[in-house]
Amino acid sequence: MALHLYDTARRGTRAFVPLIPGEVSMYVCGATVQGLPHVGHLRAGVVFDVLSRWLLESGFKVTLVRNVTDIDDKILARAMEEGRPWWAVAAHYERAFSAAYDALGVLPPTIEPRATGHVTQMVELMQRLIDAGHAYAVDGDVYFDVRSFSEYGALSGQRPDSIEPAADSDFASRKRDPRDFALWKGSKPGEPAWPTPWGAGRPGWHLECSAMATNYLGATFDIHGGGLDLQFPHHENEIAQSHAVGDGFAQYWLHNAWVTQAGEKMSKSLGNTMVVQEVLKRIRGIELRWYLVSAHYRSNIEFSDEALQESGAAFRRIENFVVRATERMGDVDPHATPMCADFALAMDDDLGAPAAVAAIHELVTEGNTLLAQGSAANAATLRGVLASVRRCLGVLGVDPLAEPWATRHSGGDDYREAVDVLVQSELHERQEARSAKDFARADAIRNKLAHAGIAIEDTAEGPRWVLAREAE
RNA sequence: GGUGGAAUGGCCGAGAGGCGAGGCAAGGGACUGCAAAUCCCUCUACACGGGUUCAAAUCCCGUUUCCACCUCCA
């Protein structure tokens, strides 16, 4: 089975056929940099990172554009609050998002364009819309004429009649129809402004995505992704802007579901504290990523510390296998083995992460059994299982021995080696005590190490040690 | 009011007409000097009421509850 994806626009799962064989062009709505990133923001980043990795794994050449909206009403409001320029606010939170993406191992997109860098493209698009009779300028504002575009509402299944007036209803008097939305907002004194043929002003919210997607990916491209909430009005308006001028725009619309908390949507307006940098004090980045990645992207995740810890424990079982098997077999090349068929089948079915995760668990059980048997005869099989597990984990971005995790893990290599020398000598002493049936002494050593946060595992090859924090 | 989702075992969480994913927890067993780690086994569910069918968690009708979007949101 080849890759199938759920296309919001068609309300169904269908085979993914790229415009150009072997190549995929994808645009993902990134952050409006107006606050600290929370777990929900990162879910979108992680979901489309996994899609991108799976496409790469499947042999496609991927061009991924993930924008940064760095000019917006909320950013201006935030700048007032924080008493510093809007561009300082935008830059500050953009760095916070980058750090968070990084902490979760999200691969950098091909390009991360900023809205403010693409005013030229926006002006061009507005001119095309005005020329085509789908937009009009009034007193320095430019609006999209919703009534001129019969397709409006198709993506979100809204009938134009039942759509409530757009947000900027304070401009209602200038609009031909209350549902018309602003492409461009004439600037008020003190606000940032860029020159246009219709006067100085700043971009409306939706325009930048149409302009940037088209600029980098062309008039027609393969996939457009984003959070579920963006379906309306944001993506609806993007479609309007682009289709109205005859651009094909996105062929597949993908939307990821929410991270909710106690049944409530995790929105910044609720002011909750699930910001990524806080959560990362309680759990490692790789475990947080596993938590986000092991759910289906179209299912809600109800965020809780218990669920997070439980998910972390499940991941550690897998991680332990990878580490132990690597200790036994040495490093393996994940791509030296064929892709696990069950995993591939699951991923091809609209990124069925839960079934894919189940396939990994089954591989790990098989691998653990081989590990427990410990005979040299099945070394080749074990090597294959290890490679296969790592190849699957790599698609989800959680192979502990791949970047960025490998480097982070070995960041303390010097210390680890020093500790290892000391612990090995303790373990040696304990083995001697055990041989001499002096179990009191053996247990005392074990307790001493446990007290230091080091857990001993007795394996067929003799004892090994792990930090209790990693094994708990 | 409009649009779209969801209700699964102690918990998390898939599946989508027949053979009851996977994980966590719990109990039992193997291994161990004892543990830990690991493996094996057990517990076995589809909100409610009707209907279709040889067969329904899965399809149809109705009911209840919850959620999201229609306003800024990933």
Side-chain angles (χ1 to χ4, degrees):
Chain A
M1 180 171 118
L3 178 61
H4 284 60
L5 294 171
Y6 183 90
D7 179 5
T8 306
R10 307 283 190 90
R11 272 145 228 285
T13 303
R14 62 193 179 101
F16 174 69
V17 183
L19 294 161
I20 301 170
E23 296 186 17
V24 179
S25 47
M26 175 155 68
Y27 185 93
V28 174
C29 282
T32 298
V33 283
Q34 55 176 324
L36 292 173
H38 60 227
V39 176
H41 289 122
L42 265 291
R43 183 178 192 191
V46 164
V47 160
F48 292 103
D49 182 46
V50 169
L51 173 57
S52 167
R53 285 172 189 253
W54 181 237
L55 288 167
L56 288 168
E57 174 69 48
S58 304
F60 291 102
K61 177 173 172 277
V62 177
T63 304
L64 173 61
V65 179
R66 188 185 65 209
N67 73 290
V68 173
T69 297
D70 59 345
I71 180 69
D72 154 270
D73 288 355
K74 291 239 169 187
I75 293 171
L76 297 181
R78 191 88 189 198
M80 292 289 281
E81 266 173 48
E82 297 186 4
R84 53 177 170 167
W86 65 272
W87 40 265
V89 169
H92 175 82
Y93 291 117
E94 183 181 333
R95 281 192 294 270
F97 267 86
S98 295
Y101 286 131
D102 215 43
L104 291 215
V106 175
L107 295 173
T110 313
I111 187 169
E112 205 167 357
R114 298 188 184 99
T116 53
H118 298 76
V119 170
T120 304
Q121 287 83 349
M122 295 186 212
V123 170
E124 281 169 10
L125 180 56
M126 284 192 282
Q127 189 59 257
R128 289 171 70 199
L129 282 163
I130 290 172
D131 292 347
H134 289 290
Y136 55 95
V138 187
D139 298 339
D141 296 337
V142 181
Y143 294 100
F144 184 89
D145 186 346
V146 168
R147 280 179 300 183
S148 75
F149 183 66
S150 60
E151 205 188 298
Y152 195 73
L155 176 71
S156 55
Q158 304 286 329
R159 275 182 283 108
D161 300 340
S162 62
I163 293 173
E164 294 178 9
D168 27 34
S169 47
D170 48 320
F171 301 108
S173 57
R174 305 181 201 168
K175 292 183 185 176
R176 292 179 189 168
D177 186 293
R179 297 163 301 175
D180 290 354
F181 58 91
L183 298 169
W184 193 261
K185 298 179 177 182
S187 61
K188 296 170 190 153
E191 284 183 351
W194 288 260
T196 76
W198 315 282
R202 58 196 172 86
W205 175 32
H206 315 291
L207 188 63
E208 85 274 20
C209 284
S210 284
M212 292 191 285
T214 305
N215 185 61
Y216 292 103
L217 302 175
T220 305
F221 56 95
D222 294 310
I223 297 172
H224 191 128
L228 195 59
D229 58 308
L230 295 180
Q231 201 177 313
F232 190 94
H234 187 54
H235 290 163
E236 195 73 71
N237 291 353
E238 283 184 48
I239 289 176
Q241 291 158 1
S242 292
H243 283 190
V245 293
D247 287 351
F249 216 54
Q251 301 302 293
Y252 293 80
W253 287 86
L254 269 59
H255 292 99
N256 64 276
W258 293 106
V259 177
T260 61
Q261 192 180 19
E264 283 182 89
K265 184 174 60 177
M266 181 177 290
S267 96
K268 59 197 80 170
S269 53
L270 288 176
N272 64 57
T273 56
M274 290 295 109
V275 297
V276 173
Q277 56 184 240
E278 290 302 314
V279 175
L280 287 176
K281 290 175 184 168
R282 284 175 269 143
I283 192 165
R284 293 180 298 155
I286 196 171
E287 290 175 1
L288 177 56
R289 180 173 173 120
W290 175 257
Y291 177 67
L292 294 174
V293 123
S294 53
H296 189 103
Y297 78 95
R298 288 192 286 116
S299 294
N300 273 9
I301 292 178
E302 188 145 329
F303 188 88
S304 72
D305 254 13
E306 300 78 66
L308 198 60
Q309 294 306 333
E310 191 178 285
S311 164
F315 179 69
R316 268 175 248 127
R317 172 171 177 267
I318 296 165
E319 187 180 32
N320 270 345
F321 164 70
V322 170
V323 171
R324 289 199 303 144
T326 302
E327 281 174 6
R328 173 84 63 84
M329 305 307 306
D331 201 19
V332 300
D333 175 9
H335 286 268
T337 195
M339 172 55 73
C340 167
D342 287 344
F343 182 89
L345 214 55
M347 292 302 284
D348 273 342
D349 184 10
D350 193 33
L351 305 183
V357 165
I360 293 175
H361 277 296
E362 270 156 28
L363 279 172
V364 168
T365 298
E366 185 189 342
N368 274 330
T369 304
L370 291 168
L371 219 39
Q373 289 166 355
S375 78
N378 53 37
T381 317
L382 178 58
R383 180 178 291 273
V385 171
L386 172 60
S388 193
V389 167
R390 287 190 54 196
R391 188 164 181 182
C392 295
L393 291 176
V395 170
L396 301 179
V398 288
D399 176 359
L401 301 183
E403 294 308 323
W405 318 111
T407 302
R408 283 177 206 176
H409 193 261
S410 63
D413 253 7
D414 292 349
Y415 284 103
R416 198 172 185 97
E417 276 170 34
V419 170
D420 186 55
V421 170
L422 296 174
V423 174
Q424 288 304 341
S425 117
E426 296 287 335
L427 290 180
H428 183 72
E429 207 177 319
R430 173 168 167 270
Q431 289 303 85
E432 282 185 341
R434 291 177 73 198
S435 314
K437 303 253 190 261
D438 183 355
F439 298 122
R441 190 164 140 242
D443 289 348
I445 293 169
R446 185 167 67 195
N447 288 340
K448 184 166 80 176
L449 291 175
H451 201 66
I454 290 168
I456 296 176
E457 290 175 13
D458 288 316
T459 73
E461 277 69 48
R464 66 187 286 271
W465 66 274
V466 292
L467 288 177
R469 189 179 159 274
E470 289 175 8
E472 71 194 356

